C-alpha cells in the first residue's frame, strides 16, 4: 500500500501525469461516439442569455484571476512566450506576409491554451483548494480523448488559415517580392493590391474565427464538465451560438478586442488577457448550459 504521507518529487508527479494521460489517450479512438446518446436523443438544454450577462461573466472571470493570479500567470506565460518566438521567426522578409496571420491566428488556438484555465475555474467553483498544477487535471477528464481530438481539429484549422492567408498574399502582392519592411508596409497600405489583401484577408479570417467560436466556445468546457462525446459537445456549442446570435457575436468581439489589446506590447498583455478570458469562458458555459 502506498504511503499517503509520502511527498512526491517532480519526477514522480510528472510520471503520474503521463500515466494518466496515456490511459486517456488510449481511449481516444472511442471519444467520438462512446459517450454519446443515440442520434435521436435531444442535446443538453441551452439557455437564452442577454448581452448584459456578459458583464457578469467577465466579472466572474476577473474574480477567478484575482483569486489565483500568480498560479494562472505561471500557466499562461507559456502563451505569450510562444507568440514572441513565432513573431521573431516571422520577421524575416520572406515571412513578413505571415506575421499578421500568425498573430491573429492565436484566436483560433486560444481555446486549446485555455483548457487548463477552465479546469481551475471548475475546481474553484467546487470549493476545492487549487494550485497551478491542477490545470493539468484535464488529463483526468472522462472525455479527455475528445478534448485531444478537438484540439487537433483547431490546430488543423489554424494551419489551414495560414495556408489560406499566404495564398491570398500570393494572389495580390506576391508577384512584387519583398525587398524591405518599409517597402512591404508601403505596398500593403498604399496600393490597390495591398488593400485587396487587407479586405479579403480580414474577411476570410473573420469566417475562420466564427467557425472556431461556434464549435469550441461551449464544447471544451462541456467535455471537462460532463462525460459526453465530441459530437454532443460540438453540437451543443453550435446550438448555443445559434440560439444566442447577438450575445455570442458580442462575445466574439470581446475576445478579439481583448486579444488585440493583449498583443500590445509584444504580446505581454496576453499574460493577463488570456486567463481572464479563459476563466470567463467557463462562466459563460455555466450561463448557457444548465447543470
Amino acid at each position: 500500500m502506498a504511503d499517503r504521507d509520502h511527498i512526491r518529487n517532480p519526477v514522480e508527479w510528472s510520471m503520474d501525469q503521463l500515466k494518466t494521460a496515456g490511459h486517456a489517450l488510449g481511449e481516444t479512438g472511442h471519444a467520438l461516439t462512446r459517450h454519446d446518446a443515440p442520434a435521436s436523443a435531444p442535446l443538453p438544454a441551452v439557455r437564452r442569455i442577454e448581452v448584459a450577462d456578459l458583464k457578469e461573466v467577465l466579472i466572474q472571470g476577473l474574480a477567478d484571476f484575482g483569486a489565483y493570479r500568480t498560479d494562472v500567470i505561471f500557466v499562461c506565460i507559456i502563451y505569450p512566450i510562444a507568440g514572441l518566438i513565432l513573431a521573431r521567426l516571422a520577421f524575416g522578409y520572406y515571412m513578413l506576409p505571415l506575421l499578421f496571420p500568425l498573430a491573429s491566428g492565436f484566436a483560433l488556438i486560444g481555446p486549446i491554451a485555455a483548457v487548463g484555465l477552465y479546469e481551475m475555474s471548475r475546481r474553484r467553483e467546487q470549493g476545492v483548494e487549487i494550485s497551478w498544477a491542477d490545470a493539468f487535471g484535464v488529463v483526468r477528464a472522462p472525455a479527455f480523448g475528445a478534448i485531444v481530438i478537438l484540439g487537433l481539429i483547431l490546430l488543423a484549422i489554424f494551419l489551414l488559415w495560414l495556408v489560406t492567408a499566404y495564398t491570398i498574399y500570393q494572389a495580390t502582392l506576391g508577384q512584387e517580392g519583398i525587398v524591405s519592411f518599409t517597402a512591404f508596409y508601403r505596398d500593403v497600405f498604399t496600393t490597390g493590391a495591398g488593400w485587396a489583401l487587407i479586405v479579403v484577408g480580414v474577411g476570410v479570417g473573420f469566417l475562420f474565427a466564427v467557425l472556431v467560436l461556434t464549435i469550441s466556445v461551449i464544447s471544451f468546457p462541456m467535455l471537462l464538465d460532463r462525460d459526453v462525446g465530441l459530437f454532443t459537445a460540438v453540437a451543443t456549442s453550435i446550438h448555443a451560438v445559434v440560439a444566442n446570435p447577438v450575445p455570442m457575436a458580442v462575445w466574439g468581439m470581446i475576445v478579439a478586442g481583448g486579444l488585440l489589446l493583449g498583443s500590445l506590447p509584444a504580446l505581454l498583455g496576453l499574460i493577463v488577457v488570456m486567463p481572464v478570458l479563459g476563466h470567463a469562458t467557463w462562466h459563460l458555459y455555466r450561463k448557457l448550459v444548465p447543470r
Side-chain angles (χ1 to χ4, degrees), residues 196-275:
L197 170 66
I198 293 173
V199 172
V200 176
V202 170
V204 174
F206 171 77
L207 296 178
F208 273 91
V210 169
L211 171 63
V212 169
L213 174 72
T214 302
I215 68 174
S216 68
V217 66
I218 294 302
S219 51
F220 276 114
M222 176 172 283
L223 289 170
L224 280 175
D225 189 43
R226 304 186 183 193
D227 190 9
V228 299
L230 182 59
F231 174 81
T232 295
V234 171
T236 304
S237 186
I238 295 172
H239 182 200
V241 172
V242 172
N244 297 276
V246 175
M248 298 311 291
V250 173
W251 178 250
M253 289 188 286
I254 290 173
V255 171
L259 292 177
L260 177 62
L261 292 176
S263 297
L264 305 172
L267 304 181
L268 293 178
L270 294 176
I271 295 174
V272 174
V273 172
M274 272 298 300

Side-chain angles (χ1 to χ4, degrees), residues 40-55:
S40 58
L43 295 173
V46 169
R47 293 192 185 102
R48 292 186 181 275
I49 63 172
E50 303 295 333
V51 173
D53 292 318
L54 300 180
K55 179 180 179 180

Side-chain angles (χ1 to χ4, degrees), residues 89-99 102 178:
L89 292 174
F91 266 107
Y93 288 155
Y94 294 105
M95 291 295 290
L96 276 175
L98 289 179
L99 182 59
L102 280 169
I178 301 175

Side-chain angles (χ1 to χ4, degrees), residues 111-224:
I112 303 173
V115 169
L117 303 172
Y118 305 154
E119 176 66 7
M120 294 177 78
S121 287
R122 186 182 74 84
R123 295 195 179 201
R124 184 178 185 232
E125 184 181 83
Q126 297 172 343
V128 178
E129 186 175 350
I130 63 173
S131 70
W132 67 266
D134 290 305
F136 297 97
V138 297
V139 301
R140 301 187 186 92
F144 181 67
I147 292 173
V148 171
I149 292 174
L150 185 56
L152 291 175
I153 291 172
L154 294 195
L155 284 174
I157 293 173
F158 172 68
L159 293 175
L160 180 60
W161 156 241
L162 293 182
V163 171
T164 302
Y166 192 73
T167 301
I168 294 172
Y169 165 75
Q170 287 292 332
T172 52
L173 289 176
Q175 302 302 319
E176 302 296 327
I178 301 175
V179 296
S180 69
F181 178 80
T182 302
F184 177 75
Y185 179 88
R186 183 181 63 248
D187 289 343
V188 169
F189 291 101
T190 64
T191 67
W195 280 104
L197 170 66
I198 293 173
V199 172
V200 176
V202 170
V204 174
F206 171 77
L207 296 178
F208 273 91
V210 169
L211 171 63
V212 169
L213 174 72
T214 302
I215 68 174
S216 68
V217 66
I218 294 302
S219 51
F220 276 114
M222 176 172 283
L223 289 170
L224 280 175

